[in-house]
Amino acid sequence: MYEQITDGVRVSVESDYLEDQSAPEDHRYVWSYTVRIENETDDAVRLVTRYWKITDANGGTQEVRGSGVVGEQPRLEPGERYEYTSGAPLSTPSGIMVGQYQMERDNGDLFQVEVPPFSLDSPYDLRPVN
């Protein structure tokens, strides 16, 4: 599990290779990732937007921006947590994702919460051992 705290908001991520949705012979590798967001501040916060940078094993990148996550803009009271699962396909057997959430406090202040970099590794990623 990967974890990072920014301004009192803890983000934890766990990824899982999806063998049944992948087709290595067609250069299609798919992962799910589960994100848990915990509000450790004294204020309610709402997730407004997301940003992802996805880098494959060849260094190719994709950027994804959008409103909320999985169709929601969750609001978390102090001490509350929110969890969701989404997915990412790549044409290579490994990669890495990193991101940010724009959060909003009830008073209207916006701030960025970092999502820790996390790896997307499949059993088809053959790396030489030195």
Side-chain angles (χ1 to χ4, degrees):
M1 176 151 328
Y2 303 86
E3 186 173 274
Q4 186 162 346
I5 300 172
T6 310
D7 290 333
V9 177
R10 179 185 306 267
V11 178
S12 307
V13 185
E14 192 167 358
S15 62
D16 188 35
Y17 179 68
L18 301 177
E19 183 81 43
D20 62 330
Q21 294 183 29
S22 298
E25 65 280 1
D26 295 328
H27 304 286
R28 179 174 167 79
Y29 305 87
V30 182
W31 291 264
S32 69
Y33 57 91
T34 299
V35 179
R36 184 173 57 219
I37 304 165
E38 299 176 73
N39 182 4
E40 298 178 353
T41 73
D42 294 329
D43 303 306
V45 297
R46 181 172 63 97
L47 191 156
V48 181
T49 63
R50 73 183 180 286
Y51 165 77
W52 290 111
K53 182 177 180 182
I54 307 164
T55 305
D56 67 24
N58 296 328
T61 61
Q62 300 175 34
E63 293 188 354
V64 178
R65 299 175 192 273
S67 177
V69 290
V70 294
E72 298 181 357
Q73 291 184 319
R75 183 176 183 276
L76 289 85
E77 293 289 338
E80 286 187 333
R81 72 174 61 169
Y82 174 81
E83 187 171 295
Y84 73 94
T85 300
S86 190
L90 289 178
S91 61
T92 62
S94 67
I96 191 166
M97 286 181 67
V98 64
Q100 295 177 334
Y101 298 128
Q102 183 178 58
M103 307 292 282
E104 181 179 30
R105 292 184 178 90
D106 280 351
N107 67 6
D109 287 346
L110 297 173
F111 64 104
Q112 299 295 324
V113 169
E114 301 298 321
V115 178
F118 60 97
S119 63
L120 305 171
D121 296 313
S122 78
Y124 299 97
D125 188 15
L126 304 176
R127 297 180 191 184
V129 177
N130 295 329

